[in-house]
Amino acid sequence: MSRRVLLVEDDSELGAQIVHRLQDHGFEAVWWREGRRVAQEDLRGFDLVIVDLMLPGVYGMDMLKDVRTCSEVPVLVLSARDATADKVRALKLGADDYMTKPFWPEELMERVRARLRRPALGRGDVLEAGALRIDRARREAQWKGERLELTRVEFEFLSALAERPGEAMTRRALAERALDPERDGGERTLDVHVSRLRKKLAQMGETSLIETVWGIGYRLAP
């Protein structure tokens, strides 16, 4: 059975070349010519996503956020943007690889094959850290079996920490993961959301789950 690859690329000539190259190597390719919001059902059956950043419609980084909210499918970013900041942000948001344009077609195919040989990063749709349980597919979080009523930002923040329990994450990385700059502001507003989340946990008898790591950010208590 052929491995299925979703390509999101607005350049008609380049997109056609990539699709033909994928098909020549035995992959089944589905091509989206513009960025769009992504839900879990959109990704069902795909083994890999290749996404450009500068897209009409939804920006590539926002698509990457959507993918990582609902799926662990590997993502390869393919972009003309070669600034280190862009690469770092894409990787922090959950990209598995980043390849800059122009590129050699055979290198792209080797990266595709290499990515598919390795298991996807992460631990699936359900994260468990002690008494905390997060179901990313259902967008639900529980503490000791009781449901936590979380906002979108609180859910994304807690999910990011639960992926790496005991490890400190920077405020910037958490802000990029959880906040929408147009709606939620930047890093400075992150502390407000964390304070509200801590209050919700305190109401359930938990006061030490989220630890502040001074000078860095936050971590989930080991």
Side-chain angles (χ1 to χ4, degrees), residues 7-193:
L7 171 67
V8 189
E9 170 61 64
D10 64 313
D11 185 309
S12 298
E13 183 176 351
L14 178 59
Q17 291 175 358
I18 295 174
V19 167
H20 292 153
R21 184 70 62 164
L22 287 167
Q23 292 172 341
D24 287 345
H25 284 76
F27 297 100
E28 178 184 346
V30 175
W31 181 12
W32 293 357
R33 292 168 173 80
E34 64 179 13
R36 63 180 77 170
R37 306 307 307 204
V38 179
Q40 187 178 28
E41 55 268 22
D42 297 317
L43 301 172
R44 191 168 290 122
F46 285 109
D47 300 290
L48 178 73
V49 175
I50 301 175
V51 60
D52 189 11
L53 294 184
M54 304 302 293
L55 295 165
V58 176
Y59 182 44
M61 291 288 191
D62 293 326
M63 286 195 66
L64 181 53
K65 286 182 183 180
D66 284 354
V67 171
R68 279 295 162 260
T69 296
C70 63
S71 174
E72 292 296 332
V73 63
V75 177
L76 190 161
V77 173
L78 190 63
S79 176
R81 299 176 69 103
D82 61 358
T84 299
D86 292 314
K87 297 177 183 178
V88 169
R89 187 182 180 210
L91 293 170
K92 284 183 175 179
L93 288 175
D96 298 275
D97 199 357
Y98 192 111
M99 193 171 180
T100 55
K101 303 175 183 177
F103 58 89
W104 291 102
E106 279 308 312
E107 181 184 356
L108 174 62
M109 290 301 102
E110 285 306 316
R111 292 200 187 203
V112 168
R113 282 192 285 258
R115 183 60 260 171
L116 291 174
R117 281 197 299 267
R118 297 194 296 270
L121 298 174
R123 304 189 303 180
D125 289 331
V126 176
L127 299 172
E128 293 185 345
L132 177 66
R133 186 178 191 275
I134 296 176
D135 188 327
R136 291 187 287 195
R138 296 185 178 185
R139 305 285 295 175
E140 293 179 354
Q142 296 180 349
W143 175 254
K144 294 184 177 179
E146 293 186 44
R147 181 167 177 171
L148 278 165
E149 296 296 336
L150 303 179
T151 65
R152 173 185 54 81
V153 174
E154 292 165 353
F155 185 89
E156 291 299 334
F157 173 85
L158 200 55
S159 296
L161 292 184
E163 290 171 3
R164 301 172 175 84
E167 296 183 23
M169 294 189 67
T170 65
R171 295 172 76 253
R172 181 175 182 179
L174 288 165
E176 289 179 345
R177 169 72 178 269
L179 301 179
D180 181 339
E182 295 183 0
R183 290 189 292 176
D184 308 314
E187 288 182 44
R188 293 183 179 180
T189 65
L190 185 67
D191 294 334
V192 176
H193 292 283

